[in-house]
Amino acid sequence: MSSHRVFPETSAFSSKVFRGGRCRMPHVLIGLGATGGQVLKAFRGLVEPQMHETQSLGMAVRFLLVDTVNEAPDDATQSVPEWRTGFADHERVDLHPADLKTRSTSTASHQSSRLLHERVERAMRGDDERSLAALCADSRRLGRLLLAGAAASFTAALDRAVASLQSDAAMPLTFHIVFGLGEGPGGGLIEVVAGIRLRWRDPRRARILVYGRLPDPDGSGDDGSSNRPSNTYAALVELNALAAGELAPQDFTSGELSVESRPALSAAYLFGGTLENGQPLSDEDVLETAAQFLRQRMEIDQAEGAGRDRLRQLEGGAYGGSGPDQQIWSQIASVPLLAFGSKRLVSPDGEIREALGLSFTRAGLLHLLHNHWQDGAGFVDEPSGAPAGAALRGDVESRWLISEDHLLLSQAILPAEASDKRWQSITDEWSSIMEGFKDLARLRERGKWLDTLIALCHRRYTEDFRNVGVAEFYRSRYAEAAGMAAEVRARIERDLIEGCRTGRWSLGDLAGIVDSLIGWQEERLAGIPERIARIRRSEDETRVRIIGVCQKWASLGPFARISGKCEAVLDECAVQLHDLNVKMTRAEAWAFAGQLLPAILTELQDLKQTIEAVVLRVADVVATIDRRLDRLADVLEAEPNAYVPVVRLFNRDRLRGIAAAVLTDEREQRDHATRMRDSLFANMDSQAGFQALLDHFDGSDPLHALHAIGDSRVDDAHANHVATAGEGVLRLTVLDQIREMYGSDPLALRSFFDTVVSATHCLIELNGTASATERRSFALLPHAGKPEAFAKQVRAGIRACAGAEMTLLDTGRSPFEIGIVTIQAVPALSEVASLAAFDAAYQARLFSDTATAFYDMHTVSTATDLKPLVTQVPEHQKEMAAGFNLPHLLIGLVRGLVYDRRGGSSGTDGFLLVPKDADGFDEQPVYLGTDLFASSEALPASTVALLSANNARALSDASPAQLDDWRQGVVSLVNRTKAERGNDPTDLIYRKFVEAGKTASQMLRGERR
């Protein structure tokens, strides 16, 4: 769905997740970066009730999303990732890369390299928010630094999350941290662990489980950038040290915390995009598997008995290897490294119900939008035919206050004037006074009758028409044109709303009606000048006739009064004066209409835009439903595949038949459309217009109430179909589905479970030597239900497939699914098949830009903290390391950064690296060994980074004279090596020093880094 609910603070597990009455164990799920957010979003989708569910929510889980936010100004291309939209403000800790602009002093405390500082400063000086955000997304150190700077916000959010959990105080907390090993925000793992341990120091009271995602080794796919493989190796080194207890919270936080003898973590899970059999998974399947494993692991932990014991044995034990080549830290770690596999066998009742409910909702919205029914297809998404506005012209003029009389104010528009009983039409205004005017004229002497009548009409026109005279009356109404136009719009809008509510018109019809109205009024407006001109010409003709009447009056003899001719001429004059004044009044009225119509057109244009916005919004909701239905169709129509995370068991042909039957039943669908329409308008005020309807569809979840109506109709329609056809697809448990598919064939049932259990592979590819390590499987079963004999047969079938490795758990879970979980110990990180690729990417990046890359990839800098994961380095890699490191060692020697203590009396026999801090003081010395060349092949990455960073700083600050002195010193060192090697110019080691000396000279001349 494109519209997402903002989950309230009390949102957590559905009450179905744990058994009622059992004390719920409290969990806090923390997601770092995109991987963490996506897994948490998928987890939430599993445990939050769907729209069709009404069960109360549990209080066992809280969410906390930590991620960088790109706030580049005026950047319309930036959009909020879909996975972020489902988390409320109190569930997020937003890290702003721009905060680095005010935190330059903090970087020194994290030992960032000078070159990394310069990159950040360049982005800040250029005010390039996007560049800075991209830098933070790829730098694990900056990811950690950003979280360290937001420590107060993070710990406050953490405290709120824990405080809001309603759980037994005796139950231990469990923190689950999900992150991408190669992502920049994942560098904040150490800060997160520190923040937790500063508050809950006893691992027995607060367990910390981490779940690190391995990217594709080649940096391709949906989950990574080209730097993520190299970042991943650095992250694995640090995770290994953290799991081994070599890193403790006091090492990476400014808070005071005593050194703990135990590691900070409880267990560490690794997962990637490839199954242990080498089969790749889609990014979506990886995230879904991780999310459902989180849920299933919590259920196992919640269960009592052997299942929980086996889980805690796996997460609490140490699994080591043996052999001369396996000198890896994880072999002595007290925190286990684990991998997992997860599968769910489901009867997709919720998805089927959602698909049918959304289909009903879609049909109701299409009825509202177009009301176009086609037999065999139902309501379709296209207009029904001719525009509705064409046939309305004569029917609605007076009702909508847009008749000619209304435009000329012959009939009143404003309610106050319409209720005035003295208000008359223009014609009646003049007709009603002519007899009185003739009587007044007769009171004068006969020769002045016509003059009196003409004078009275003139006074009426200029002063007394509606108390102010014609011209003044219409002039005074110009200021009220906007109010009159609003009244016209309100009358039209109420009528259209009512027509939509009763089903007379669809929203598409309404848009056509208003469009026709606009065209009609525009025609009127364009014709007003010609109308006025015709009236003026007619006035002239009438004046000529009045002159003729006056001439006739003047020619009357003395006996005209006796003969009645005077009365006849007076009557004729009155008729002509009436006609003239009506015409003159209408000319003024049409001039006013020329001012009123633009105001009405403005209102109609606005009404049209509002209706079109409603049409577009409803169409958007329909498109959202279509996308969700397409997604549901993809999963419901796909044939069962044992290797995907969710295996859906149901009769697909039956579902297609039932869906087609109920969705093309015109009586059923029109009845549903009426109910949905009534519900939509029920809560709207009787005077509300289309803006209220638009506001409804623009709400936080416009589909929720409508879908509830559609969902309620699903049960009725399904029940009617079952009564008629005798078969259904709803309310079938997973055991019902399995019994229907395999119940009559025990061998087929056994084969099915054998396939499913054997296909529940861990999401990590290990080397062959890891196959014999500790491995356990769990089957999470619903209550047996009826018939119990078949439930026992299912349990026996699962047990027969996996033997003693499988633990069967009655978790009280939903009757619509069975869960299968596999957990495997990873004896050493060297057993991870992709480690070599990550190491190669790490080394290549390190040698290309050591001074910066090391500090980008690592979040800790002390050499003793970072031990390599692979001890058997390939020869070509040793040569590459020597070719890079030896020139730096030579420069370090001539600068006095590397000390030659061989044969000295200080007790240290060999070479020492004594780096300088930012202020020029000596840092802790690092022993390099007795053989400079051998040291160059085996220097730890952290030492290389310290050496190259110090050299880079010195070279940038040195004068030309110093650089020249150092070049001479390098030449002397190479010559001394020649003497030590017996003055043999062909000696291989000496030749290595010659090449290193040349490289060092180029670096000193600024020709290479």
Side-chain angles (χ1 to χ4, degrees), residues 615-858:
V615 170
L616 289 174
R617 190 67 188 91
V618 174
D620 285 344
V621 175
V622 172
T624 298
I625 292 175
D626 286 343
R627 287 192 294 271
R628 179 58 183 162
L629 285 174
D630 287 343
R631 171 78 179 104
L632 288 169
D634 288 342
V635 298
L636 291 175
E637 293 182 3
E639 292 301 319
N641 178 357
Y643 290 96
V644 297
V646 181
V647 180
R648 294 170 175 84
L649 306 173
F650 67 103
N651 189 317
R652 287 156 176 78
D653 291 333
R654 184 185 301 168
L655 174 59
R656 295 187 191 101
I658 292 177
V662 298
L663 294 175
T664 57
D665 184 331
E666 184 172 7
R667 182 192 63 79
E668 177 72 44
Q669 290 303 315
R670 288 198 178 277
D671 181 58
H672 161 65
T674 300
R675 293 186 185 211
M676 196 175 85
R677 205 173 54 242
D678 291 344
S679 174
L680 180 64
F681 290 97
N683 296 325
M684 289 179 56
D685 185 88
S686 59
Q687 301 300 312
F690 287 99
Q691 185 60 49
L693 190 60
L694 180 60
D695 292 342
H696 173 81
F697 280 101
D698 276 341
S700 60
D701 192 1
L703 193 56
H704 180 64
L706 297 177
H707 181 70
I709 302 167
D711 195 41
S712 67
R713 296 295 297 164
V714 167
D715 285 320
D716 295 338
H718 183 263
N720 293 337
H721 183 84
V722 170
T724 303
E727 59 181 15
V729 290
L730 296 179
R731 292 180 291 278
L732 297 176
T733 68
V734 65
L735 294 180
D736 292 334
Q737 301 284 13
I738 294 173
R739 183 172 64 251
E740 184 173 311
M741 297 172 70
Y742 304 107
S744 61
D745 188 347
L747 291 179
L749 180 65
R750 168 68 184 274
S751 176
F752 166 72
F753 280 116
D754 188 51
T755 300
V756 169
V757 172
S758 63
T760 309
H761 295 300
C762 291
L763 270 67
I764 190 170
E765 189 175 3
L766 300 175
N767 296 324
T769 56
S771 59
T773 57
E774 188 79 13
R775 184 185 183 99
R776 290 288 183 268
S777 297
F778 303 84
L780 286 66
L781 303 173
H783 289 304
K786 302 292 183 178
E788 293 186 9
F790 183 73
K792 292 179 180 179
Q793 188 177 351
V794 167
R795 296 172 73 94
I798 297 174
R799 172 73 74 185
C801 297
E805 288 188 1
M806 177 68 73
T807 301
L808 303 183
L809 299 174
D810 181 1
T811 62
R813 62 171 29 230
S814 163
F816 297 103
E817 69 176 77
I818 293 173
I820 307 292
V821 175
T822 298
I823 299 177
Q824 159 131 19
V826 179
L829 286 177
S830 59
E831 299 293 350
V832 176
S834 55
L835 182 65
F838 296 144
D839 183 28
Y842 174 84
Q843 298 295 338
R845 186 176 172 196
L846 193 64
F847 293 141
S848 67
D849 186 12
T850 301
T852 301
F854 178 86
Y855 294 96
D856 267 340
M857 294 186 289
H858 284 287

Side-chain angles (χ1 to χ4, degrees), residues 271-428:
F271 66 100
T274 305
L275 297 177
E276 59 186 287
N277 66 347
Q279 177 181 338
L281 291 178
S282 69
D283 191 58
E284 186 176 359
D285 282 345
V286 172
L287 298 172
E288 184 168 19
T289 302
Q292 71 184 26
F293 172 74
L294 276 171
R295 173 189 169 187
Q296 291 166 334
R297 188 222 158 272
M298 292 177 186
E299 293 184 69
I300 298 170
D301 204 16
Q302 179 74 15
E304 298 175 355
R308 177 194 291 178
D309 294 342
R310 284 196 169 186
L311 174 66
R312 295 189 177 178
Q313 179 187 8
L314 283 166
E315 292 183 345
Y319 307 103
S322 60
D325 297 329
Q326 296 183 339
Q327 300 174 9
I328 310 301
W329 278 17
S330 60
Q331 294 172 351
I332 59 172
S334 59
V335 172
L337 301 172
L338 305 167
F340 62 81
S342 172
K343 199 167 301 298
R344 289 189 299 139
L345 311 178
V346 304
S347 172
D349 181 80
E351 290 169 320
I352 293 173
R353 185 181 296 276
E354 183 185 3
L356 292 175
L358 285 173
S359 297
F360 268 76
T361 303
R362 181 181 187 274
L365 289 174
L366 290 180
H367 174 268
L368 183 68
L369 200 57
H370 303 301
N371 193 14
H372 186 186
W373 179 269
Q374 288 183 355
D375 291 338
F379 287 111
V380 294
D381 191 7
E382 58 186 43
S384 57
L392 289 176
R393 197 160 186 162
D395 297 337
V396 298
E397 275 190 321
S398 182
R399 190 168 73 245
W400 289 353
L401 309 179
I402 54 173
S403 68
E404 183 174 302
D405 283 346
H406 286 96
L407 295 178
L408 303 182
L409 298 188
S410 187
Q411 288 186 313
I413 293 177
L414 296 176
E417 294 175 342
S419 63
D420 187 349
K421 296 182 179 180
R422 296 173 297 175
W423 193 281
Q424 300 180 79
S425 69
I426 292 174
T427 301
D428 289 345

Side-chain angles (χ1 to χ4, degrees), residues 168-248:
D168 188 338
M171 301 295 288
L173 283 165
T174 303
F175 295 91
H176 306 263
I177 307 171
V178 187
F179 66 105
L181 285 158
E183 298 171 12
L189 172 68
I190 294 178
E191 297 290 338
V192 173
V193 174
I196 295 171
R197 281 288 170 247
L198 281 169
R199 281 157 175 71
W200 297 275
R201 301 192 180 193
D202 186 354
R204 293 170 298 180
R205 302 300 309 145
R207 295 177 292 177
I208 301 177
L209 304 175
V210 299
Y211 307 80
R213 179 179 179 178
L214 301 165
D216 291 338
D218 60 358
S220 63
D222 299 329
D223 61 344
S225 71
S226 59
N227 285 333
R228 291 202 177 168
S230 55
N231 280 346
T232 298
Y233 181 83
L236 287 171
V237 169
E238 294 177 11
L239 179 62
N240 207 38
L242 193 61
E246 297 292 337
L247 289 176

Side-chain angles (χ1 to χ4, degrees), residues 29 45 205-206 228 273 364 504 534 760 797 851 930 995:
L29 268 64
R205 302 300 309 145
R228 291 202 177 168
R504 178 186 178 191
R534 286 202 307 269
T760 309
T930 59
E995 293 300 321

